[in-house]
Amino acid sequence: MKVVILAGGLGSRLSKYTNRVPKPMVKINKTPIIEHIMSIYKKYGFNDFIIAAGYKQEVIKQYFQKNSNYKVEVVDTGEETLTGGRILRLKKKLNNKTFMLTYGDGLADINLKKLLEFHKKNKKMVTITAVRPPSSFGVMEIKKNLVKNFKEKIQMTQGWINGGFFVIEPKFLKFIRNDYTILERDPLEKASSANELVAYKHKKFWHCMDTIKDKEGLEKLIQQNNASWL
């Protein structure tokens, strides 16, 4: 089964690094985050990757020319193309078959075989992984002005967000119009309206790398031997 990784954006909030390399090539403990992501898939037997590149795509191509641990095709899907458009550009390469999809900046200790089983069981166009967003701040329990409990950066227990790690049927691509279609808007909204979008709830570790603080936090987890995605 093909695994598509969206890896073409600018990553402007990590400009300290992304002025030299694309965001998925920013390193977490000496290894690009995209390789951390791919290792999650490889762990569950998925090793056929298409990287939908754009910004500084030549950096990704050069890296994987020297890295033979994975079966990888890096495709230049354009610097200005949006998330939905990048998938549409891969239509012929997906061979009208079910495929997996994720972003080039998110890590999770997700069981991908269970995700695929869930998708097959529900028989819908799209399965999306729903995750609890990590809190940006410490959470306090206060009674009569006394702090009874303090937890720093806990995982929130209410609300779900898009954690990536999709399984998608090829007929979903009919909802993507062109290069300027944003996956997370019209296509997924239409799939939801048609009752063709289901959520696989992942309640364990998930984190994306949007900022330098996120990068440092992920590196700290590795240094503490607490990187549950590895």
Side-chain angles (χ1 to χ4, degrees), residues 136-203:
S136 299
F137 306 96
V139 176
M140 295 180 287
E141 180 186 349
I142 302 173
K143 290 184 180 179
K144 295 182 179 179
N145 294 328
L146 293 174
V147 177
K148 295 294 185 180
N149 194 9
F150 180 90
K151 293 183 179 179
E152 180 66 12
K153 296 180 184 175
I154 65 167
Q155 199 84 3
M156 292 178 67
T157 57
Q158 294 182 342
W160 297 91
I161 63 170
N162 169 15
F165 299 98
F166 299 83
V167 185
I168 300 177
E169 296 300 324
K171 58 186 176 180
F172 171 71
L173 272 63
K174 68 183 181 183
F175 292 143
I176 302 174
R177 295 179 61 190
N178 54 39
D179 278 359
Y180 306 105
T181 301
I182 299 173
L183 168 69
E184 300 79 7
R185 293 187 183 171
D186 202 41
L188 287 179
E189 288 170 2
K190 284 182 176 178
S192 177
S193 296
N195 294 319
E196 288 289 342
L197 177 63
V198 290
Y200 176 81
K201 293 180 178 179
H202 175 67
K203 299 178 181 179

Side-chain angles (χ1 to χ4, degrees), residues 56-224:
K56 293 189 180 295
Q57 51 86 24
E58 69 280 357
V59 177
I60 302 176
K61 286 183 177 179
Q62 289 170 6
Y63 181 82
F64 285 105
Q65 283 173 355
K66 301 174 183 177
N67 185 333
S68 59
N69 294 326
Y70 307 92
K71 180 181 177 183
V72 183
E73 183 178 5
V74 181
V75 180
D76 183 2
T77 54
E79 288 199 15
E80 304 298 324
T81 311
L82 301 180
T83 48
R86 293 192 190 282
I87 300 167
L88 187 61
R89 285 205 183 193
L90 301 176
K91 185 175 181 178
K92 290 183 180 179
K93 294 182 181 294
L94 295 170
N95 298 320
N96 202 35
K97 294 181 179 179
T98 307
F99 63 97
M100 292 181 137
L101 169 77
T102 196
Y103 302 103
D105 62 358
L107 298 171
D109 56 355
I110 183 171
N111 186 319
L112 293 166
K113 282 193 174 179
K114 288 186 177 179
L115 171 66
L116 184 57
E117 288 169 3
F118 179 87
H119 176 78
K120 289 178 177 178
K121 180 180 178 181
N122 283 277
K123 298 179 181 178
K124 300 295 184 181
M125 276 190 200
V126 182
T127 297
I128 184 173
T129 298
V131 298
R132 299 292 194 189
S135 173
S136 299
F137 306 96
V139 176
M140 295 180 287
E141 180 186 349
I142 302 173
K143 290 184 180 179
K144 295 182 179 179
N145 294 328
L146 293 174
V147 177
K148 295 294 185 180
N149 194 9
F150 180 90
K151 293 183 179 179
E152 180 66 12
K153 296 180 184 175
I154 65 167
Q155 199 84 3
M156 292 178 67
T157 57
Q158 294 182 342
W160 297 91
I161 63 170
N162 169 15
F165 299 98
F166 299 83
V167 185
I168 300 177
E169 296 300 324
K171 58 186 176 180
F172 171 71
L173 272 63
K174 68 183 181 183
F175 292 143
I176 302 174
R177 295 179 61 190
N178 54 39
D179 278 359
Y180 306 105
T181 301
I182 299 173
L183 168 69
E184 300 79 7
R185 293 187 183 171
D186 202 41
L188 287 179
E189 288 170 2
K190 284 182 176 178
S192 177
S193 296
N195 294 319
E196 288 289 342
L197 177 63
V198 290
Y200 176 81
K201 293 180 178 179
H202 175 67
K203 299 178 181 179
K204 295 182 180 180
F205 175 83
W206 173 88
H207 212 293
C208 65
M209 187 184 69
D210 278 335
T211 65
I212 291 175
K213 188 175 180 180
D214 292 332
K215 168 181 156 61
E216 292 171 347
L218 291 168
E219 289 177 330
K220 188 175 181 180
L221 289 175
I222 293 175
Q223 292 160 10
Q224 296 172 341

